Amino acid sequence: MDGTFDYLIVGAGSSGSVLAERLSAAGRKVLVLEAGGSDRRFFVQMPLGYGKLFYDRRVNWGYRTEPDPGLNGQQDYWPRGKVLGGSSSINAMVWIRGDASDYDDWQAATGSSAWGWEAARAAYRAIEDNADGADEFRGQGGPLYIRSGQDPAHPLVAPFLASCEAAGLPRNADFNGAKQEGAGLYQLTIKGGRRNSTARAFLRPALKTGRVALRTGAHVARVLMDGKRAIGVEYQWKGAFHRAMAGEVILSGGAINTPQVLMLSGIGPAAALQAQGIEVVLDQPNVGAHLNDHQGINYTYRMRVPTMNDRLRPWWGKALVGMQYLLTGGGPLSVSINHGGGFFRTDPALPRPNMQLYFQAFSTLMPRGDERPILTPDPFPGLSIGLSNCRPSSRGQISLASADPFAAPKIIGNAFSTDQDVAEMLAAVKFIRHIAAQKPMADLIAEELRPGPQIASDEALIDDFRQRSGTVFHPSCTARMGTDPATSVLDANLRVRGIEGLRVCDASAFPTLIGGNTNAPAILLGWLGAQRILETA
Ligand SMILES: Cc1cc2nc3c(=O)[nH]c(=O)nc-3n(C[C@H](O)[C@H](O)[C@H](O)COP(=O)(O)OP(=O)(O)OC[C@H]3O[C@@H](n4cnc5c(N)ncnc54)[C@H](O)[C@@H]3O)c2cc1C
């Protein structure tokens, strides 16, 4: 590539795209290398195209974990975006910041108010162009349009929220506002009926400045080192290896790929690297460790009233919603799979919500190998109430399965490997049934299909969630920031300790997992990360 670059960013995902925009806005010259291709694809743009992207290897790394004892020995499927916008181009578009106290945790873990709640709140207000208007928490006029959290996506959302209220979970008009607890509608990263990924909201405007160079289909194999200084990267593009140099290298490849690239570059647990024949540059046992992820499960119901199944399943229904979407940009295809949800505590003594709810006005009981069958739901009216834990104590690990940069890394999920995680999930699934037992939902539900009323004892419920639960796609913390060099990889300015000229800026840098979906915090990482990078250049 022509020119000299101040910064080289590996990965144009949620954090990487924001970082490129911020650094270029500050006048810096930036090179972005992205392994995936363009996001100008119909199913990326159409919000409910989500189901089509789920297994599509043209836009998805499509990882599998090792067999997980916590999931009855099953391998979990971990989709990750491999396309401009990264996982923000294949995700479910829910816009959740997390609990304010999560950022108190970040401040404590990093020893820096730069990552605390006040800094986060100000940054989110600057990032957002929120359809619900600006207030003390929300922002308007920023680069990222957020769809209103007031527009019900489906008529069944109202009875669901009424039943939540009857179950003791009051209505919350803004989970990103003064408090997270309660039930309500999700704000979504959707603009004008189209997915609002970070490629759309940040990277494309940045490319127009002329200060950002982008190469797609460029798979970074390793960081080039001069002693303990990063000087550039080696990457594969169009079948050949190339080198690119820059003042600083910033890894934004996401929580699976960033630790992989670090290890391929000789930065990681020494013995494991040597076992793969990789020369050790820095013995850093925390690379790939502390893997933290949310685990979720759906309860599925057959309904007495029509649901989205009735519109999405028959060919004529598909034609109608397709026409509606193409002509108006509206209708069922223009929204997220998640129509509403909430946050609750499994124990009132807890200081903050520890569980997240998802309401989906359709059901997909019958799995299909190659597709998440949202667009082909069950042939009867059905819906799903799902949940995921907020701050599980189980920890997994990313390591190298091979020294081949194009081989998938080894992912150990370790779901439900602590008694605490099992106990809180047991309490949580009981709460789903408690909601479903309340009017008006109770009158609308014909039967619980999965797991079904025969699954009643604690033992059976635990076995069921070990059998049926899976990731909700929020892996984080695999190259985390922290004050203690013995337990973290990065300092509070995202610098890889012990290496010059190398930083990490993506979900792997999270000091702790946020209680909520992780796109907003990954975007925040890019935004605040740029400030840290510019101030400590
Ligand atoms: C199916 C799914 C649904 C989700 N739903 C939601 C949701 O509704 N709401 C929410 O908030 N969060 C959701 N998430 C999570 C959220 O999208 C991610 O946490 C977030 O996007 C992670 O951002 P990141 O910058 O860390 O990584 P990513 O956005 O994944 O970006 C990493 C980028 O780096 C590129 N890359 C990786 N390795 C290399 C390499 N070696 N060379 C070059 N490029 C490389 C990748 O191709 C990718 O583009 C979902 C995720 C998935 C997968």
Side-chain angles (χ1 to χ4, degrees):
M1 304 269 319
D2 291 340
T4 54
F5 297 97
D6 300 309
Y7 296 100
L8 189 164
I9 301 175
V10 178
S14 295
S15 304
S17 296
V18 176
L19 189 56
E21 190 276 334
R22 292 282 83 200
L23 294 176
S24 63
R28 305 301 188 276
K29 286 194 71 183
V30 180
L31 171 63
V32 181
L33 298 177
E34 165 57 47
S38 172
D39 59 325
R40 291 212 162 114
R41 292 169 164 272
F42 182 69
F43 288 123
V44 171
Q45 302 296 324
M46 183 183 90
L48 215 61
Y50 173 81
K52 293 281 184 197
L53 308 171
F54 202 73
Y55 291 104
D56 185 347
R57 293 303 299 269
R58 290 170 301 180
V59 295
N60 198 323
W61 293 87
Y63 290 128
R64 285 210 179 267
T65 67
E66 298 296 299
D68 194 335
L71 304 179
N72 288 346
Q74 301 169 97
Q75 288 181 281
D76 200 6
Y77 175 66
W78 285 24
R80 295 275 95 199
K82 185 182 185 183
V83 56
L84 290 182
S87 297
S88 80
S89 287
I90 69 161
N91 74 9
M93 296 156 289
V94 171
W95 181 249
I96 288 287
R97 299 174 177 185
D99 194 76
S101 65
D102 284 312
Y103 299 93
D104 297 338
D105 293 349
W106 280 20
Q107 175 162 342
T110 59
S112 168
S113 59
W115 298 104
W117 170 236
E118 271 318 304
R121 187 176 66 92
Y124 278 128
R125 289 188 77 242
I127 288 167
E128 287 184 3
D129 186 19
N130 198 308
D132 289 333
D135 66 11
E136 192 190 336
F137 298 97
R138 291 191 297 266
Q140 240 185 356
L144 186 69
Y145 180 86
I146 307 289
R147 183 186 188 269
S148 171
Q150 307 302 320
D151 301 340
H154 193 275
L156 279 171
V157 174
F160 167 70
L161 296 180
S163 287
C164 285
E165 196 143 20
L169 198 60
R171 180 77 194 258
N172 185 344
D174 186 354
F175 301 123
N176 299 316
K179 76 176 172 63
Q180 196 188 39
E181 193 162 22
L185 299 171
Y186 283 129
Q187 296 167 21
L188 302 167
T189 44
I190 294 176
K191 183 180 185 182
R194 282 169 52 213
R195 173 189 292 278
N196 201 14
S197 70
T198 56
R200 184 176 172 201
F202 294 93
L203 186 62
R204 287 194 196 287
L207 288 171
K208 292 197 182 121
T209 64
R211 287 189 290 276
V212 178
L214 168 69
R215 185 159 269 184
T216 53
H219 187 136
V220 170
R222 66 189 175 103
V223 179
L224 297 169
M225 308 292 300
D226 178 9
K228 285 207 166 25
R229 180 173 185 86
I231 52 170
V233 301
E234 184 177 55
Y235 67 100
Q236 195 190 50
W237 186 65
K238 295 195 171 170
F241 277 96
H242 303 261
R243 290 177 162 217
M245 305 304 193
E248 264 202 23
V249 175
I250 306 165
L251 300 181
S252 298
I256 314 296
N257 293 41
T258 284
Q260 182 188 23
V261 172
L262 283 170
M263 289 186 269
L264 289 167
S265 312
I267 301 165
L273 300 188
Q274 279 154 352
Q276 298 291 348
I278 294 171
E279 197 184 317
V280 177
V281 175
L282 179 77
D283 179 16
Q284 177 40 288
N286 294 293
V287 172
H290 315 293
L291 170 61
N292 215 321
D293 192 16
H294 296 137
Q295 201 69 14
I297 186 164
N298 270 8
Y299 272 47
T300 311
Y301 298 88
R302 185 197 295 271
M303 303 300 289
R304 299 184 199 281
V305 290
T307 68
M308 258 170 74
N309 290 11
D310 304 81
R311 295 189 66 193
L312 290 178
R313 176 85 194 185
W315 68 264
W316 52 266
K318 279 196 180 66
L320 275 178
V321 297
M323 290 265 283
Q324 186 183 9
Y325 182 70
L326 290 174
L327 293 176
T328 68
L333 302 182
S334 71
V335 291
S336 167
I337 168 179
N338 297 307
H339 301 132
F343 292 86
F344 66 97
R345 286 176 283 173
T346 52
D347 176 350
L350 291 171
R352 56 187 174 183
N354 62 330
M355 284 286 160
Q356 182 169 2
L357 274 172
Y358 299 93
F359 174 79
Q360 301 166 355
F362 61 89
S363 65
T364 54
L365 212 54
M366 284 158 251
R368 297 192 343 177
D370 58 345
E371 187 184 309
R372 208 175 187 206
I374 299 162
L375 300 173
T376 313
D378 297 325
F380 48 78
L383 61 74
S384 314
I385 305 175
L387 53 73
S388 58
N389 46 21
C390 286
R391 291 171 209 84
S393 53
S394 299
R395 295 290 177 268
Q397 168 114 28
I398 307 292
S399 56
L400 291 181
S402 138
D404 175 1
F406 309 109
K410 187 170 161 186
I411 304 175
I412 295 177
N414 253 342
F416 301 121
S417 55
T418 67
D419 292 345
Q420 184 189 330
D421 290 357
V422 174
E424 72 169 4
M425 187 53 82
L426 178 62
V429 295
K430 289 179 180 173
F431 190 66
I432 293 188
R433 281 187 169 164
H434 181 55
I435 294 171
Q438 310 301 315
K439 285 175 188 282
M441 284 292 278
D443 294 336
L444 305 177
I445 291 173
E447 60 175 324
E448 181 188 293
L449 292 169
R450 201 161 278 182
Q454 74 286 0
I455 305 296
S457 67
D458 287 2
E459 220 177 14
L461 286 166
I462 292 169
D463 183 63
D464 174 63
F465 66 68
R466 287 197 187 282
Q467 193 64 31
R468 290 196 304 119
S469 70
T471 177
V472 293
F473 326 117
H474 300 157
S476 307
C477 310
T478 48
R480 68 186 185 184
M481 281 188 277
T483 48
D484 183 359
T487 59
S488 59
V489 178
L490 310 175
D491 69 14
N493 295 314
L494 300 171
R495 290 184 287 223
V496 177
R497 272 197 208 89
I499 303 287
E500 292 285 300
L502 183 62
R503 309 207 201 209
V504 171
C505 183
D506 59 23
S508 44
F510 291 2
T512 58
L513 181 55
I514 292 283
N517 316 70
T518 44
N519 190 37
I523 287 173
L524 181 83
L525 225 289
W527 188 277
L528 290 176
Q531 281 175 21
R532 305 309 332 126
I533 291 167
L534 290 166
E535 282 174 25
T536 55

